[in-house]
Amino acid sequence: MRIVLLLLACLPGLAFAGAPLYAVVPGAGLAPGLTAGLSMDAKAADLDGDGDLDLVVAMEWAPHLMLFNDGQGRFTDDPTRAPRTTHDHEEAVLADLDGDRSIDILLVSEDDRAKELYLNDGKGRFRDASDRLRADAVTNGAIAVDLDADGDRDLVFANAGADQVWINDGRARFTDESARRLPATDDVSQDVAAGDLDGDGDLDLVFGNEDGNRLLLNDGRGGFAGAPDAAWPAAREETRKVALGDVDGDGDLDVFLANVRFFQAQTPSAQDRLLLNDGQARLSDVTAERLPKDEANAAHGDLHDLDGDGDLDILRGDVVLGAPAPRPVQALVNDGTGRFAPAADAAWPRVACNLFDSAQADFDADGAPDLYLACRQGSDVLLRARRAAASGD
């Protein structure tokens, strides 16, 4: 799998139409062949405490990459900073897990069931603390969030089989409390996202599954129960990515589901779905009137403000398993009310990759958010904003 690196500066007031907003940097500014493996996930954070944003890339059946930023959006991999082991990596999680105000790294794996925990010394050097986690599940996704409102980050694992919640003691020592905090399920979960969907001040969970997604509501103490059937519009779909964000500007979190039709023959369509929230976790399916009709396999889809106008747009891929060449990455532009249309060809570059993840951050410290795309196939690409388009020069 390969990684596409897009440094995408999206400036306030620039619409997704007219002249191109981005210029391609040849070679993506990375060492040749560095990202030629099978990348599955990319996360951005300041790993070494120097004030800029670095990257961790989860590579399938290869060691993960740690890309350190020079402050201007140029990245170098440093294999001496942390142990590097080969696993079937699916996702990376970057968060302060031990309470020392530095960013630690969690990596989860699918087929070989590995869980890796690397604790930061504050200067971007990491020690292996993986023995604190039990590697007993086929894990496709993970997040680090404060489920029980005690001020530290707990772990949620999206598994093939029973999902898991591991509670943090504040020092990155975890206890598996899944049995008493989660309802018993046996899904093939591909992703999990957390957010306050019902407006009660705690974090709820949305699991994206291969056949039937789930909304679990928090009781305020980190215990979860399934939402009432009427609150979640059920559909037979194979979901790969869950994204939460306020797409219609009404102050609550809506749900975007990136769908595929890979393995579930009974799935009628790969159509993505958009669910609008009424603020109390009652969601309405508005896909037909607000999303373009499509049958693309979106192995990844996320909500980012791509055009700098203050609302959330959709970035999605189109993955064809076994195809000899990757498909173009797609941008869907929000009109400000949660209705989406494809970006103008003149403004959005034709970047081909089998998109599996995206990380939006200001890598070059120019005040504009950039975008990193992790792709299963295709050459790395670096896009910088065309500042002349903003200044009129």
Side-chain angles (χ1 to χ4, degrees):
M1 185 183 305
R2 299 189 181 180
I3 293 174
V4 173
L5 177 60
L6 286 120
L7 292 188
L8 171 68
C10 303
L11 306 174
L14 291 183
F16 244 133
L21 301 182
Y22 318 107
V24 177
V25 177
L30 296 172
L34 180 63
T35 58
L38 302 175
S39 64
M40 295 295 293
D41 186 62
K43 294 293 191 304
D46 184 3
L47 299 175
D48 51 5
D50 64 354
D52 55 41
L53 293 169
D54 312 301
L55 285 159
V56 173
V57 183
M59 308 288 287
E60 190 174 56
W61 294 119
H64 70 279
L65 296 177
M66 300 176 67
L67 304 180
F68 287 90
N69 192 343
D70 68 356
Q72 298 180 319
R74 294 187 294 258
F75 296 92
T76 304
D77 184 47
D78 187 347
T80 70
R81 299 270 191 155
R84 302 286 182 97
T85 55
T86 296
H87 292 290
D88 185 23
H89 294 123
E90 292 291 312
E91 186 153 16
V93 176
L94 307 186
D96 178 10
L97 297 174
D98 57 3
D100 66 353
R101 299 185 180 180
S102 61
I103 299 297
D104 308 305
I105 300 172
L106 169 72
L107 294 159
V108 299
S109 299
E110 184 182 22
D111 289 345
D112 63 347
R113 305 187 178 202
K115 288 185 176 71
E116 299 159 78
L117 176 62
Y118 301 112
L119 299 180
N120 195 339
D121 68 357
K123 299 179 181 179
R125 296 193 176 276
F126 296 81
R127 65 183 178 90
D128 191 349
S130 303
D131 59 354
R132 301 185 183 190
L133 299 174
R134 188 178 70 250
D136 64 343
V138 175
T139 302
N140 292 305
I143 52 175
V145 291
D146 186 4
L147 295 178
D148 53 1
D150 64 352
D152 56 38
R153 298 288 192 97
D154 310 302
L155 303 178
V156 184
F157 298 110
N159 297 331
D163 300 313
Q164 295 173 324
V165 164
W166 291 54
I167 298 299
N168 193 348
D169 70 353
R171 296 170 295 174
R173 296 188 181 278
F174 300 91
T175 302
D176 183 357
E177 298 188 6
S178 309
R180 76 179 187 88
R181 292 184 182 269
L182 291 179
T185 59
D186 188 19
D187 301 317
V188 179
S189 297
Q190 291 289 342
D191 193 30
V192 59
D196 183 6
L197 273 77
D198 55 3
D200 64 354
D202 54 41
L203 293 175
D204 309 304
L205 298 173
V206 180
F207 284 91
N209 301 327
E210 286 196 1
D211 188 16
N213 301 315
R214 294 186 189 273
L215 168 61
L216 303 183
L217 299 179
N218 194 333
D219 64 6
R221 301 181 300 276
F224 294 86
D229 289 344
W232 182 265
R236 175 156 281 180
E237 58 195 329
E238 186 178 345
T239 295
R240 283 282 165 150
K241 176 70 176 181
V242 177
L244 306 182
D246 182 8
V247 301
D248 55 359
D250 65 354
D252 55 42
L253 291 177
D254 309 303
V255 182
F256 174 72
L257 302 170
N259 292 333
V260 300
R261 196 168 184 267
F262 285 163
F263 305 120
Q264 300 299 319
Q266 70 272 28
T267 302
S269 171
Q271 173 71 49
D272 299 334
R273 276 214 299 164
L274 181 64
L275 308 179
L276 292 188
N277 192 352
D278 70 351
Q280 298 181 356
R282 292 188 293 260
L283 295 127
S284 301
D285 189 342
V286 296
T287 303
E289 60 265 31
R290 293 180 181 251
L291 287 184
K293 185 175 177 58
D294 76 82
E295 283 297 327
N297 287 310
H300 175 74
D302 215 338
L303 298 172
H304 301 301
D305 183 4
L306 298 175
D307 54 2
D309 65 354
D311 56 38
L312 292 172
D313 310 300
I314 294 172
L315 182 74
R316 64 188 303 282
D318 180 8
V319 175
V320 179
L321 297 180
R327 301 276 296 164
V329 176
Q330 302 166 350
L332 302 179
V333 183
N334 192 341
D335 69 356
T337 69
R339 290 176 171 82
F340 295 86
D345 289 343
W348 180 252
R350 285 187 62 82
V351 177
C353 80
N354 283 343
L355 183 65
F356 265 62
D357 196 41
S358 61
Q360 190 178 43
D362 181 9
F363 294 117
D364 53 4
D366 65 351
D370 308 314
L371 191 68
Y372 185 95
L373 304 185
C375 309
R376 286 190 68 94
Q377 187 177 353
S379 300
D380 292 359
V381 177
L382 178 63
L383 299 181
R384 295 190 187 277
R386 294 172 59 94
R387 284 293 186 178
S391 65
D393 296 340

